[in-house]
mmCIF file with all atom_site columns, all heavy atoms in Angstrom:
data_model
loop_
_atom_site.group_PDB
_atom_site.id
_atom_site.type_symbol
_atom_site.label_atom_id
_atom_site.label_alt_id
_atom_site.label_comp_id
_atom_site.label_asym_id
_atom_site.label_entity_id
_atom_site.label_seq_id
_atom_site.pdbx_PDB_ins_code
_atom_site.Cartn_x
_atom_site.Cartn_y
_atom_site.Cartn_z
_atom_site.occupancy
_atom_site.B_iso_or_equiv
_atom_site.pdbx_formal_charge
_atom_site.auth_seq_id
_atom_site.auth_comp_id
_atom_site.auth_asym_id
_atom_site.auth_atom_id
_atom_site.pdbx_PDB_model_num
ATOM 1  N N   . GLU A 1 309 ? 33.684 -31.260 -18.493 1.00 92.00 ? 338 GLU A N   1
ATOM 2  C CA  . GLU A 1 309 ? 33.757 -31.745 -17.111 1.00 92.00 ? 338 GLU A CA  1
ATOM 3  C C   . GLU A 1 309 ? 35.008 -31.248 -16.412 1.00 92.00 ? 338 GLU A C   1
ATOM 4  O O   . GLU A 1 309 ? 34.961 -30.841 -15.239 1.00 92.00 ? 338 GLU A O   1
ATOM 5  C CB  . GLU A 1 309 ? 33.724 -33.280 -17.094 1.00 92.00 ? 338 GLU A CB  1
ATOM 6  C CG  . GLU A 1 309 ? 32.413 -33.894 -17.546 1.00 92.00 ? 338 GLU A CG  1
ATOM 7  C CD  . GLU A 1 309 ? 32.252 -33.933 -19.061 1.00 92.00 ? 338 GLU A CD  1
ATOM 8  O OE1 . GLU A 1 309 ? 33.193 -33.528 -19.789 1.00 92.00 ? 338 GLU A OE1 1
ATOM 9  O OE2 . GLU A 1 309 ? 31.193 -34.374 -19.522 1.00 92.00 ? 338 GLU A OE2 1
ATOM 10 N N   . SER A 1 310 ? 36.145 -31.275 -17.104 1.00 90.00 ? 339 SER A N   1
ATOM 11 C CA  . SER A 1 310 ? 37.402 -30.840 -16.502 1.00 90.00 ? 339 SER A CA  1
ATOM 12 C C   . SER A 1 310 ? 37.458 -29.338 -16.300 1.00 90.00 ? 339 SER A C   1
ATOM 13 O O   . SER A 1 310 ? 38.082 -28.850 -15.369 1.00 90.00 ? 339 SER A O   1
ATOM 14 C CB  . SER A 1 310 ? 38.590 -31.280 -17.380 1.00 90.00 ? 339 SER A CB  1
ATOM 15 O OG  . SER A 1 310 ? 38.587 -32.675 -17.578 1.00 90.00 ? 339 SER A OG  1
ATOM 16 N N   . LEU A 1 311 ? 36.779 -28.614 -17.188 1.00 93.00 ? 340 LEU A N   1
ATOM 17 C CA  . LEU A 1 311 ? 36.844 -27.158 -17.133 1.00 93.00 ? 340 LEU A CA  1
ATOM 18 C C   . LEU A 1 311 ? 35.872 -26.565 -16.133 1.00 93.00 ? 340 LEU A C   1
ATOM 19 O O   . LEU A 1 311 ? 36.211 -25.631 -15.399 1.00 93.00 ? 340 LEU A O   1
ATOM 20 C CB  . LEU A 1 311 ? 36.572 -26.576 -18.526 1.00 93.00 ? 340 LEU A CB  1
ATOM 21 C CG  . LEU A 1 311 ? 37.655 -26.826 -19.581 1.00 93.00 ? 340 LEU A CG  1
ATOM 22 C CD1 . LEU A 1 311 ? 37.111 -26.551 -20.974 1.00 93.00 ? 340 LEU A CD1 1
ATOM 23 C CD2 . LEU A 1 311 ? 38.885 -25.963 -19.303 1.00 93.00 ? 340 LEU A CD2 1
ATOM 24 N N   . VAL A 1 312 ? 34.624 -27.083 -16.088 1.00 94.00 ? 341 VAL A N   1
ATOM 25 C CA  . VAL A 1 312 ? 33.595 -26.436 -15.263 1.00 94.00 ? 341 VAL A CA  1
ATOM 26 C C   . VAL A 1 312 ? 32.918 -27.374 -14.278 1.00 94.00 ? 341 VAL A C   1
ATOM 27 O O   . VAL A 1 312 ? 32.143 -26.929 -13.431 1.00 94.00 ? 341 VAL A O   1
ATOM 28 C CB  . VAL A 1 312 ? 32.523 -25.765 -16.150 1.00 94.00 ? 341 VAL A CB  1
ATOM 29 C CG1 . VAL A 1 312 ? 33.169 -24.772 -17.094 1.00 94.00 ? 341 VAL A CG1 1
ATOM 30 C CG2 . VAL A 1 312 ? 31.705 -26.792 -16.922 1.00 94.00 ? 341 VAL A CG2 1
ATOM 31 N N   . GLY A 1 313 ? 33.149 -28.676 -14.376 1.00 93.00 ? 342 GLY A N   1
ATOM 32 C CA  . GLY A 1 313 ? 32.597 -29.596 -13.391 1.00 93.00 ? 342 GLY A CA  1
ATOM 33 C C   . GLY A 1 313 ? 31.156 -29.991 -13.623 1.00 93.00 ? 342 GLY A C   1
ATOM 34 O O   . GLY A 1 313 ? 30.451 -30.340 -12.673 1.00 93.00 ? 342 GLY A O   1
ATOM 35 N N   . CYS A 1 314 ? 30.700 -29.967 -14.878 1.00 95.00 ? 343 CYS A N   1
ATOM 36 C CA  . CYS A 1 314 ? 29.325 -30.366 -15.183 1.00 95.00 ? 343 CYS A CA  1
ATOM 37 C C   . CYS A 1 314 ? 29.342 -31.433 -16.265 1.00 95.00 ? 343 CYS A C   1
ATOM 38 O O   . CYS A 1 314 ? 30.066 -31.309 -17.260 1.00 95.00 ? 343 CYS A O   1
ATOM 39 C CB  . CYS A 1 314 ? 28.503 -29.158 -15.645 1.00 95.00 ? 343 CYS A CB  1
ATOM 40 S SG  . CYS A 1 314 ? 26.768 -29.538 -16.044 1.00 95.00 ? 343 CYS A SG  1
ATOM 41 N N   . ASP A 1 315 ? 28.544 -32.471 -16.078 1.00 94.00 ? 344 ASP A N   1
ATOM 42 C CA  . ASP A 1 315 ? 28.444 -33.539 -17.061 1.00 94.00 ? 344 ASP A CA  1
ATOM 43 C C   . ASP A 1 315 ? 27.906 -32.988 -18.381 1.00 94.00 ? 344 ASP A C   1
ATOM 44 O O   . ASP A 1 315 ? 26.934 -32.235 -18.406 1.00 94.00 ? 344 ASP A O   1
ATOM 45 C CB  . ASP A 1 315 ? 27.514 -34.638 -16.536 1.00 94.00 ? 344 ASP A CB  1
ATOM 46 C CG  . ASP A 1 315 ? 27.396 -35.794 -17.487 1.00 94.00 ? 344 ASP A CG  1
ATOM 47 O OD1 . ASP A 1 315 ? 26.507 -35.735 -18.376 1.00 94.00 ? 344 ASP A OD1 1
ATOM 48 O OD2 . ASP A 1 315 ? 28.175 -36.756 -17.370 1.00 94.00 ? 344 ASP A OD2 1
ATOM 49 N N   . ARG A 1 316 ? 28.522 -33.377 -19.481 1.00 95.00 ? 345 ARG A N   1
ATOM 50 C CA  . ARG A 1 316 ? 28.152 -32.814 -20.778 1.00 95.00 ? 345 ARG A CA  1
ATOM 51 C C   . ARG A 1 316 ? 26.738 -33.205 -21.200 1.00 95.00 ? 345 ARG A C   1
ATOM 52 O O   . ARG A 1 316 ? 26.010 -32.403 -21.785 1.00 95.00 ? 345 ARG A O   1
ATOM 53 C CB  . ARG A 1 316 ? 29.155 -33.215 -21.843 1.00 95.00 ? 345 ARG A CB  1
ATOM 54 C CG  . ARG A 1 316 ? 29.214 -34.706 -22.150 1.00 95.00 ? 345 ARG A CG  1
ATOM 55 C CD  . ARG A 1 316 ? 30.360 -35.022 -23.093 1.00 95.00 ? 345 ARG A CD  1
ATOM 56 N NE  . ARG A 1 316 ? 31.642 -34.675 -22.481 1.00 95.00 ? 345 ARG A NE  1
ATOM 57 C CZ  . ARG A 1 316 ? 32.800 -34.714 -23.130 1.00 95.00 ? 345 ARG A CZ  1
ATOM 58 N NH1 . ARG A 1 316 ? 32.839 -35.094 -24.397 1.00 95.00 ? 345 ARG A NH1 1
ATOM 59 N NH2 . ARG A 1 316 ? 33.921 -34.392 -22.518 1.00 95.00 ? 345 ARG A NH2 1
#
Side-chain angles (χ1 to χ4, degrees):
E338 293 80 3
S339 303
L340 291 164
V341 303
C343 180
D344 182 272
R345 65 187 62 187

